[in-house]
Amino acid sequence: METVDSICSHFQWCVNYKALAKLIDFAGKTGRTNLGAWTSYRLRLQRKRWHLRARRKSRELSVVKDRTDQIKPNDIFVFSTFRNEDIRLPYFFKYYRDLGVDHFFMVDNDSDDGGGDYAASQPDVSVWKANGSYRKSRFGVDWLNHLQRKYADGHWTLVVDPDEFFIYPFCDTRPIRALTDWLDASDIRSFGAMLLDMYPKGRLDAVPYTRGQDPIKIASWFDSGNYTISKNNLFYNLWIQGGPRARMFFKEEPWRAPALNKTPLVKWSKEYAYVSSTHMMLPRGLNLVYDEWGGEKASGILLHAKFLDTFGVKAQEELTRGQHYAASQEYKAYAEGIAQHPDLWCKWSEKYINWRQLEILGLMSKGNWA
């Protein structure tokens, strides 16, 4: 019988959680490797190491504006690291306030465009400045792990970048607290969301983005298929790749394309830690945001509005800084691709309408949340 990994390696065209559940059910229990007590012990030690590392890296953080005295016991938080995102921050804050987020924890990685000052001026935002290396902080994970451990214990937390917009079932009619209340009632501690790259039709620089504008009004298209999925049997998380970045910037080496699987929404405990961005966590049970044994868990989407007219300048800046994964290979691919003025739109592109469209396409699910 085929294992889950071998089955998933052929699951090429669409991340459909219902279909995936059927495949895993067909594979049986062979998909869960019995790693034993020794491996579990090693992972617990690794988690303690991340906590100690986060404490050490917290020395690189200095308070710009601390409004944590405003926090109430049931508040929902957003945590984010940013650099030179002043143009994006007004809409970012508005979007998540409209969802029902109560407080923002922002780490400014040495911005020089005024974004840090703008964030600090907002009444529901606490800001820290980080002058240390983004790469050596594990791309901001250490800084946020520290702040979450200190402030977020017992709170629902959403970890997102300024160009990521969380979509969940019924988000057009229900605030995020309705989702977290249902997750609490269902004894669910983490909620998965696939990163969905959004892009315009035509050249990226054809329509300028203005400060405070909804970026999805410009970058309103996405790939409805063209995704691969596999399973990490050590951390239990799914690994998703594909979309426009894989087919345009990594078409010769699609296995190097960025990961699209994320677990951004978590009922935080000071014992938790992100391992690699929000792609995987410890304890590893938090990564089981899909149903292995049949059925279908609720899931969401992060609309990723990276591809605007600002992208070329941003890609060159990050390439020059060299602060990203694998010697900034991702941004080298972007810089080379952008020089050709690509049009990411193709005949299989879909224009975004709402979350129900994404569920019909199999990219997210309402599960048993009625």
Side-chain angles (χ1 to χ4, degrees), residues 237-288:
N237 60 300
L238 299 180
W239 198 255
I240 303 171
Q241 293 172 289
R245 282 189 283 179
R247 64 177 168 82
M248 293 296 292
F249 300 105
F250 297 90
K251 58 185 175 183
E252 302 300 327
E253 300 175 298
W255 59 90
R256 290 181 50 228
L260 304 177
N261 53 286
K262 294 205 168 189
T263 307
L265 182 64
V266 179
K267 181 68 172 287
W268 200 258
S269 163
K270 62 183 178 181
E271 300 305 317
Y272 296 170
Y274 280 112
V275 176
S276 174
S277 181
T278 54
H279 301 308
M280 54 192 180
M281 304 183 66
L282 287 172
R284 55 188 172 168
L286 296 168
N287 298 319
L288 288 168

Coordinates of all heavy atoms in Angstrom, one line a residue, residues 237-288:
N237 N 3.2 18.7 9.8 CA 2.6 19.8 9.0 C 2.6 19.4 7.6 O 3.4 18.5 7.1 CB 3.3 21.1 9.2 CG 4.8 21.0 8.7 OD1 5.5 20.2 9.3 ND2 5.2 21.8 7.8
L238 N 1.6 19.9 6.8 CA 1.6 19.7 5.4 C 2.6 20.8 4.8 O 2.8 21.8 5.4 CB 0.2 20.0 4.8 CG -0.9 19.0 5.3 CD1 -2.2 19.4 4.6 CD2 -0.5 17.6 5.0
W239 N 3.1 20.4 3.6 CA 4.1 21.3 2.9 C 3.5 21.6 1.5 O 3.3 20.7 0.7 CB 5.4 20.7 2.8 CG 6.5 21.7 2.5 CD1 7.1 21.9 1.3 CD2 7.1 22.6 3.4 NE1 8.1 22.9 1.4 CE2 8.1 23.4 2.7 CE3 6.9 22.9 4.8 CZ2 8.9 24.4 3.3 CZ3 7.7 23.9 5.4 CH2 8.6 24.6 4.6
I240 N 3.1 22.9 1.3 CA 2.4 23.2 0.1 C 3.2 24.2 -0.7 O 3.8 25.1 -0.2 CB 1.0 23.9 0.4 CG1 0.1 23.0 1.2 CG2 0.3 24.3 -0.9 CD1 -1.1 23.7 1.8
Q241 N 3.3 24.0 -2.0 CA 4.1 24.9 -2.9 C 3.3 25.0 -4.2 O 2.4 24.3 -4.5 CB 5.5 24.3 -3.2 CG 6.4 24.2 -2.0 CD 7.7 23.5 -2.3 OE1 7.7 22.3 -2.5 NE2 8.8 24.2 -2.5
G242 N 3.7 26.0 -5.0 CA 3.0 26.2 -6.3 C 2.5 27.7 -6.5 O 3.1 28.6 -5.8
G243 N 1.5 27.8 -7.3 CA 1.0 29.2 -7.6 C 1.9 29.9 -8.5 O 2.8 29.4 -9.1
P244 N 1.7 31.2 -8.7 CA 2.4 32.0 -9.6 C 3.9 32.1 -9.4 O 4.7 32.3 -10.3 CB 1.7 33.4 -9.5 CG 1.1 33.4 -8.2 CD 0.7 32.0 -7.9
R245 N 4.3 32.1 -8.1 CA 5.7 32.2 -7.8 C 6.5 31.0 -8.3 O 7.6 31.1 -8.9 CB 6.0 32.4 -6.3 CG 5.7 33.8 -5.9 CD 6.2 34.1 -4.4 NE 5.2 33.5 -3.5 CZ 5.4 33.6 -2.2 NH1 6.5 34.1 -1.7 NH2 4.5 33.1 -1.3
A246 N 5.8 29.8 -8.2 CA 6.5 28.6 -8.6 C 6.6 28.5 -10.2 O 7.6 28.2 -10.8 CB 5.7 27.3 -8.1
R247 N 5.5 28.9 -10.8 CA 5.4 28.8 -12.3 C 6.2 29.9 -13.0 O 6.6 29.8 -14.2 CB 4.0 28.7 -12.8 CG 3.1 29.9 -12.6 CD 1.7 29.7 -13.2 NE 0.8 30.7 -12.8 CZ 0.6 31.9 -13.3 NH1 1.4 32.2 -14.3 NH2 -0.3 32.7 -12.9
M248 N 6.4 31.1 -12.4 CA 7.0 32.2 -13.0 C 8.5 32.4 -12.6 O 9.4 32.7 -13.4 CB 6.2 33.5 -12.8 CG 4.9 33.5 -13.5 SD 5.0 33.4 -15.3 CE 5.7 35.0 -15.6
F249 N 8.7 32.4 -11.3 CA 10.0 32.7 -10.7 C 10.9 31.4 -10.4 O 12.1 31.5 -10.3 CB 9.9 33.6 -9.5 CG 9.2 34.9 -9.7 CD1 7.9 35.1 -9.3 CD2 9.8 35.9 -10.4 CE1 7.3 36.3 -9.5 CE2 9.2 37.1 -10.6 CZ 7.9 37.3 -10.2
F250 N 10.2 30.3 -10.3 CA 11.0 29.1 -10.0 C 10.6 27.9 -11.0 O 10.6 26.8 -10.6 CB 10.7 28.6 -8.5 CG 11.2 29.6 -7.5 CD1 10.3 30.6 -7.1 CD2 12.5 29.5 -7.0 CE1 10.8 31.5 -6.1 CE2 12.9 30.4 -6.1 CZ 12.1 31.5 -5.6
K251 N 10.3 28.3 -12.2 CA 9.8 27.3 -13.1 C 10.8 26.2 -13.5 O 10.4 25.1 -13.8 CB 9.2 28.0 -14.4 CG 10.2 28.8 -15.1 CD 9.5 29.5 -16.3 CE 10.5 30.5 -17.0 NZ 9.8 31.3 -18.1
E252 N 12.1 26.5 -13.4 CA 13.1 25.5 -13.6 C 13.4 24.7 -12.4 O 13.8 23.5 -12.6 CB 14.4 26.2 -14.1 CG 14.3 27.1 -15.3 CD 13.8 26.4 -16.5 OE1 14.2 25.2 -16.6 OE2 13.1 27.0 -17.3
E253 N 13.1 25.2 -11.2 CA 13.3 24.4 -10.0 C 12.1 24.7 -9.1 O 12.2 25.3 -8.0 CB 14.6 24.9 -9.3 CG 15.9 24.7 -10.1 CD 17.1 25.3 -9.5 OE1 17.1 26.5 -9.3 OE2 18.0 24.5 -9.1
P254 N 11.0 24.1 -9.4 CA 9.7 24.4 -8.6 C 9.8 23.9 -7.2 O 9.1 24.5 -6.3 CB 8.6 23.7 -9.4 CG 9.4 22.7 -10.2 CD 10.7 23.3 -10.6
W255 N 10.7 23.0 -6.9 CA 10.8 22.5 -5.5 C 11.5 23.5 -4.6 O 11.4 23.4 -3.4 CB 11.7 21.2 -5.5 CG 13.1 21.4 -6.1 CD1 14.2 21.8 -5.4 CD2 13.4 21.2 -7.4 NE1 15.2 21.8 -6.2 CE2 14.8 21.5 -7.5 CE3 12.8 20.8 -8.6 CZ2 15.5 21.4 -8.7 CZ3 13.5 20.8 -9.8 CH2 14.8 21.0 -9.8
R256 N 12.0 24.6 -5.2 CA 12.6 25.7 -4.4 C 11.6 26.8 -4.2 O 12.0 27.8 -3.5 CB 13.9 26.2 -5.1 CG 15.1 25.3 -5.1 CD 16.3 25.9 -5.8 NE 16.5 27.2 -5.3 CZ 16.7 28.3 -6.1 NH1 16.6 28.2 -7.4 NH2 16.9 29.5 -5.5
A257 N 10.5 26.7 -4.7 CA 9.5 27.8 -4.5 C 9.1 27.9 -3.0 O 9.1 26.9 -2.3 CB 8.2 27.4 -5.3
P258 N 8.7 29.1 -2.6 CA 8.3 29.3 -1.2 C 7.2 28.4 -0.7 O 6.3 28.1 -1.5 CB 7.9 30.8 -1.2 CG 8.6 31.4 -2.3 CD 8.6 30.3 -3.4
A259 N 7.2 28.1 0.5 CA 6.1 27.3 1.2 C 4.9 28.2 1.3 O 5.0 29.3 1.7 CB 6.6 26.7 2.5
L260 N 3.7 27.6 1.1 CA 2.4 28.3 1.2 C 1.6 27.8 2.4 O 0.5 28.4 2.6 CB 1.7 28.1 -0.1 CG 2.4 28.5 -1.4 CD1 1.5 28.1 -2.6 CD2 2.7 29.9 -1.4
N261 N 2.0 26.8 3.1 CA 1.3 26.3 4.3 C 1.6 27.2 5.5 O 2.8 27.5 5.8 CB 1.6 24.9 4.6 CG 3.1 24.6 4.7 OD1 3.8 24.7 3.7 ND2 3.6 24.4 5.9
K262 N 0.6 27.6 6.2 CA 0.8 28.4 7.4 C -0.2 28.0 8.5 O -1.3 27.5 8.2 CB 0.7 29.9 7.1 CG 1.8 30.4 6.2 CD 2.0 31.9 6.4 CE 3.3 32.3 5.7 NZ 3.7 33.7 6.0
T263 N 0.2 28.2 9.8 CA -0.8 28.1 10.9 C -0.7 29.5 11.6 O 0.0 29.6 12.6 CB -0.3 27.0 11.8 OG1 -0.2 25.8 11.1 CG2 -1.4 26.8 12.9
P264 N -1.4 30.4 11.1 CA -1.3 31.8 11.6 C -2.1 32.1 12.9 O -1.8 33.0 13.6 CB -1.8 32.7 10.5 CG -2.8 31.8 9.8 CD -2.3 30.4 9.9
L265 N -3.2 31.4 13.1 CA -4.1 31.7 14.2 C -4.0 30.6 15.3 O -4.3 29.4 15.0 CB -5.6 31.7 13.7 CG -6.6 32.1 14.7 CD1 -6.4 33.5 15.3 CD2 -8.0 32.0 14.1
V266 N -3.6 31.0 16.5 CA -3.3 30.0 17.6 C -3.8 30.6 18.9 O -3.6 31.7 19.2 CB -1.8 29.7 17.7 CG1 -1.5 28.7 18.8 CG2 -1.3 29.2 16.3
K267 N -4.4 29.7 19.7 CA -4.7 30.0 21.1 C -3.4 29.9 21.9 O -3.0 28.8 22.2 CB -5.8 29.1 21.7 CG -6.2 29.4 23.1 CD -6.9 30.8 23.2 CE -7.5 31.0 24.6 NZ -8.7 30.2 24.9
W268 N -2.7 31.0 22.1 CA -1.3 30.9 22.5 C -1.1 30.4 23.9 O -1.9 30.7 24.8 CB -0.6 32.3 22.3 CG 0.8 32.1 22.2 CD1 1.8 32.3 23.2 CD2 1.6 31.6 21.1 NE1 3.0 32.0 22.7 CE2 2.9 31.6 21.4 CE3 1.2 31.2 19.8 CZ2 3.9 31.2 20.5 CZ3 2.2 30.8 18.9 CH2 3.5 30.8 19.3
S269 N 0.0 29.7 24.1 CA 0.5 29.4 25.5 C 1.9 29.7 25.5 O 2.6 29.6 24.5 CB 0.3 27.9 25.7 OG 1.1 27.4 26.8
K270 N 2.4 30.1 26.6 CA 3.9 30.4 26.8 C 4.8 29.2 26.5 O 6.0 29.4 26.3 CB 4.2 31.0 28.1 CG 3.9 30.1 29.3 CD 4.1 30.8 30.6 CE 3.8 29.9 31.8 NZ 4.0 30.6 33.1
E271 N 4.2 28.0 26.4 CA 5.0 26.8 26.1 C 5.1 26.6 24.6 O 5.8 25.7 24.2 CB 4.3 25.6 26.8 CG 4.2 25.7 28.3 CD 5.5 25.9 29.0 OE1 6.5 25.3 28.6 OE2 5.6 26.8 29.9
Y272 N 4.4 27.4 23.8 CA 4.5 27.2 22.4 C 5.6 27.9 21.7 O 6.2 28.9 22.3 CB 3.2 27.7 21.7 CG 1.9 26.9 22.1 CD1 0.6 27.4 21.7 CD2 1.9 25.8 22.9 CE1 -0.5 26.8 22.1 CE2 0.8 25.1 23.2 CZ -0.5 25.6 22.8 OH -1.6 25.0 23.2
A273 N 6.0 27.5 20.5 CA 7.0 28.3 19.8 C 6.8 28.0 18.3 O 6.6 26.8 17.9 CB 8.4 27.9 20.2
Y274 N 6.9 29.0 17.5 CA 7.1 28.8 16.0 C 8.5 28.4 15.7 O 9.4 28.9 16.3 CB 6.7 30.1 15.3 CG 5.3 30.4 15.1 CD1 4.6 31.4 15.7 CD2 4.5 29.5 14.3 CE1 3.3 31.7 15.6 CE2 3.1 29.8 14.1 CZ 2.5 30.8 14.8 OH 1.2 31.1 14.6
V275 N 8.6 27.4 14.8 CA 9.9 26.9 14.4 C 10.4 27.6 13.1 O 11.6 28.0 13.1 CB 9.8 25.4 14.2 CG1 11.1 24.8 13.7 CG2 9.4 24.7 15.5
S276 N 9.6 27.6 12.1 CA 10.0 28.2 10.8 C 8.8 29.1 10.3 O 7.8 28.6 9.8 CB 10.2 27.1 9.8 OG 10.5 27.6 8.5
S277 N 9.0 30.4 10.5 CA 8.0 31.4 10.3 C 6.7 30.8 10.9 O 6.7 30.3 12.0 CB 7.8 31.6 8.7 OG 6.8 32.5 8.4
T278 N 5.5 30.9 10.2 CA 4.3 30.2 10.7 C 4.1 28.9 10.0 O 2.9 28.4 10.0 CB 3.1 31.2 10.6 OG1 3.0 31.6 9.2 CG2 3.3 32.4 11.5
H279 N 5.1 28.4 9.3 CA 4.9 27.1 8.6 C 4.8 25.9 9.5 O 4.1 25.0 9.2 CB 6.1 26.9 7.7 CG 6.3 28.0 6.7 ND1 5.2 28.4 5.8 CD2 7.4 28.7 6.3 CE1 5.7 29.4 5.1 NE2 7.0 29.6 5.4
M280 N 5.5 26.0 10.7 CA 5.4 24.8 11.6 C 5.7 25.3 13.0 O 6.4 26.3 13.2 CB 6.2 23.7 11.2 CG 7.7 24.0 11.0 SD 8.5 22.6 10.1 CE 10.2 23.1 10.0
M281 N 5.1 24.5 14.0 CA 5.2 24.9 15.4 C 5.6 23.7 16.3 O 5.6 22.6 15.8 CB 3.8 25.4 15.9 CG 3.2 26.5 15.1 SD 1.6 27.0 15.9 CE 2.2 27.6 17.4
L282 N 5.9 24.0 17.5 CA 6.0 23.0 18.6 C 5.2 23.5 19.7 O 5.2 24.7 20.0 CB 7.5 22.9 19.0 CG 8.4 22.1 18.0 CD1 9.9 22.2 18.4 CD2 8.0 20.7 17.9
P283 N 4.5 22.6 20.4 CA 4.3 21.2 20.1 C 3.8 20.9 18.8 O 2.9 21.6 18.3 CB 3.4 20.7 21.2 CG 3.4 21.7 22.3 CD 3.6 23.0 21.5
R284 N 4.2 19.8 18.2 CA 3.8 19.5 16.8 C 2.4 19.2 16.6 O 1.9 19.2 15.4 CB 4.7 18.3 16.3 CG 4.6 17.1 17.1 CD 5.6 16.1 16.7 NE 5.7 15.0 17.7 CZ 6.3 13.8 17.4 NH1 6.8 13.6 16.3 NH2 6.3 12.9 18.4
G285 N 1.6 18.8 17.6 CA 0.2 18.6 17.5 C -0.5 19.8 17.0 O -1.6 19.7 16.4
L286 N 0.1 21.0 17.2 CA -0.6 22.3 16.7 C -0.5 22.3 15.2 O -1.3 23.1 14.6 CB 0.2 23.5 17.3 CG 0.1 23.6 18.8 CD1 1.1 24.7 19.3 CD2 -1.3 24.0 19.2
N287 N 0.3 21.5 14.5 CA 0.4 21.5 13.1 C -0.6 20.7 12.4 O -0.8 20.7 11.2 CB 1.8 21.1 12.6 CG 2.9 22.0 13.1 OD1 2.8 23.2 13.1 ND2 4.0 21.4 13.6
L288 N -1.4 19.9 13.2 CA -2.4 19.1 12.7 C -3.7 19.9 12.4 O -4.7 19.7 13.1 CB -2.7 17.9 13.6 CG -1.6 16.8 13.7 CD1 -1.8 15.9 14.8 CD2 -1.5 16.1 12.4

